[in-house]
Amino acid sequence: MTEIRVGLIGAGYIATWHADALKATPGVTVAAVCDVSEQAARGLAEACGAQPFTSVEALIESGCCDAVHILTPPQMHKPLALQCLEAGLHVLVEKPVATSADYTREILAAAEAAGKRFHAGHNFLGLPSYERMKRMMQEGTLGRVLAAEITWALPLSPLRSGPFNIWLLREPRNLLLELGPHLVAFAVDLFGTPKVVFAEATKPVMLPGDDPRPQALRILARAGDVEITFTLSMVETQDDRSVTLRGSSARARLDFASDVLTVERENTSDLVVNPLRKQLDLSGQHLREGLRNAWTQASSLNQKGPYGLSFRGMDAAVYGTLTGPQDARFSGQSAVTVMQAIDDALDLLPPEQLEPKAPAVQTRPPAP
């Protein structure tokens, strides 16, 4: 089998996760690392046994790659994806794959024109526990699912302490563009195209220059008969990153930050014993999941934590099907559907909430 040679464009924090997952993916090798910072490119390249580059043009001209992962700030995703697709490379683009659904469609059209693959970096869909939950729903174990709550509740420290010049905080909409794909990708994969019917942004915090940013967003959507609630909470709160499916036979809750899946069911005991049996069942599931995760991490020398496993699952799906039918979870069409739902939610927010009140602090421009 011919090795698939992958280049990383962008050598920041997220690149190390991609590199580690790619190195663990059969039939794949990290061949190149590109960053405008020569030091950053060289450092990660040496760790991967790859070639360093400081320009995408040089990487393309070298002919050392079959595919690239685009891991730069989001405003650079579309031009870089188009450039690499036109050069004959497959692309995987970190979320958000672009800053709008229309830009995402342009990337998909370019991939189709070039006969190459465009993949979306929706890594949490590669978690083993998510795959188990999806399979349970499809097999009818949960009964008829009519409601889902998909939550990202995790404090976002840059909102309070900076740095304030990062892309994430440059405009209010960027918070939803950055975090929303994690949540919407679950819904699209489970239920299909969601119709957004309500959106609100609350709990504003002031950045320098009296420039407010929301710390909470709530979005309501429907997909067929399923009512979906998306909750983004960036205030000081207990970590709750979860997907809950409410079915007629059982309720499944996936803690996707911890790779833990539990299922709550009714039982045939009377009213006195029923609550005890339910809690004993849930306790047993938590114990089983905890022991499984502890064994996985201990036996891998902590290389297979939940976040790392999600990237490994994504890469296995992407590169295991590169010459066959594309895995729908990470397809370009799925990316378009996800970004369209986010655009629809932004359209329901008051325009004044989306306009920055202070001049944006510019980060470094893309390399020429």
Side-chain angles (χ1 to χ4, degrees):
M1 177 181 176
T2 303
E3 287 277 311
I4 300 167
R5 304 166 301 166
V6 180
L8 305 179
I9 300 178
Y13 162 79
I14 200 66
T16 60
W17 291 97
H18 282 263
D20 289 344
L22 287 166
K23 287 188 287 185
T25 303
V28 175
T29 184
V30 179
V33 178
C34 179
D35 196 279
V36 292
S37 166
E38 182 178 1
Q39 182 178 5
R42 189 171 298 280
L44 184 55
E46 289 177 355
C48 298
Q51 296 184 55
F53 296 92
T54 55
S55 76
V56 175
E57 290 77 10
L59 182 151
I60 291 171
E61 289 172 7
S62 75
C64 70
C65 293
D66 307 301
V68 293
H69 287 203
I70 297 175
L71 315 175
T72 61
Q75 75 273 17
M76 298 165 63
H77 286 178
K78 187 190 81 165
L80 287 173
L82 296 180
Q83 180 181 5
C84 292
L85 286 165
E86 290 166 3
L89 300 175
H90 304 289
V91 301
L92 183 147
V93 189
E94 251 297 335
K95 56 85 206 161
V97 295
T99 55
S100 73
D102 284 342
Y103 285 174
T104 308
R105 290 187 183 93
E106 288 186 45
I107 300 174
L108 178 57
E112 292 172 346
K116 296 298 176 180
R117 291 283 175 87
F118 161 36
H119 296 99
H122 298 151
N123 58 286
F124 283 116
L125 301 185
L127 269 176
S129 52
Y130 170 70
E131 293 178 355
R132 285 190 287 135
M133 183 180 73
K134 180 181 176 181
R135 189 161 53 248
M136 291 176 68
M137 186 192 79
Q138 292 175 332
E139 292 173 350
T141 304
L142 307 179
R144 186 182 182 190
V145 174
L146 291 176
E149 292 101 41
I150 308 178
T151 300
W152 181 286
L154 184 70
L156 185 65
S157 58
L159 280 172
R160 286 165 288 281
S161 58
F164 300 111
N165 64 337
I166 56 176
W167 178 87
L168 177 63
L169 299 183
R170 192 172 297 171
E171 295 184 38
R173 68 176 62 242
N174 291 359
L175 292 163
L176 182 56
L177 288 169
E178 174 69 24
L179 299 176
H182 283 311
L183 307 188
V184 180
F186 282 123
V188 169
D189 188 50
L190 289 169
F191 310 118
T193 303
K195 177 179 174 57
V196 178
V197 297
F198 174 82
E200 67 174 355
T202 58
K203 297 182 173 61
V205 63
M206 287 295 181
L207 302 189
D210 292 331
D211 197 4
R213 295 290 181 274
Q215 296 182 95
L217 292 121
R218 187 166 68 100
I219 299 166
L220 305 181
R222 298 190 187 96
D225 293 332
V226 183
E227 303 285 340
I228 309 168
T229 302
F230 300 104
T231 301
L232 275 168
S233 180
M234 296 161 276
V235 299
E236 298 298 334
T237 182
Q238 181 72 20
D239 185 354
D240 176 13
R241 286 170 283 174
S242 62
V243 179
T244 300
L245 304 183
R246 299 184 182 276
S248 57
S249 300
R251 180 183 67 183
R253 183 181 185 275
L254 168 66
D255 179 342
F256 60 86
S258 301
D259 194 22
V260 169
L261 173 65
T262 54
V263 181
E264 185 174 352
R265 303 176 178 86
E266 297 297 339
N267 59 72
T268 57
S269 299
D270 61 29
L271 292 176
V272 175
V273 181
N274 177 287
L276 174 62
R277 284 188 61 186
K278 286 176 66 175
Q279 294 308 312
L280 287 174
D281 179 43
L282 286 171
S283 297
Q285 291 183 61
H286 279 291
L287 178 61
R288 180 198 68 216
E289 295 285 291
L291 289 172
R292 178 179 60 81
N293 284 348
W295 169 252
T296 297
Q297 294 192 52
S299 61
S300 68
L301 300 178
N302 205 33
Q303 295 298 304
K304 293 184 179 180
Y307 198 50
L309 279 175
S310 73
F311 284 99
R312 291 188 182 205
M314 176 181 70
D315 286 347
V318 165
Y319 293 107
T321 61
L322 198 58
T323 57
Q326 189 172 18
D327 190 309
R329 288 174 294 172
F330 309 105
S331 70
Q333 185 54 60
S334 173
V336 169
T337 306
V338 168
M339 295 312 299
Q340 185 61 62
I342 291 173
D343 279 359
D344 293 345
L346 288 169
D347 286 344
L348 292 177
L349 295 175
E352 61 271 16
Q353 286 190 330
L354 300 177
E355 291 297 324
K357 304 299 187 293
V361 179
Q362 296 296 316
T363 56
R364 68 187 184 195

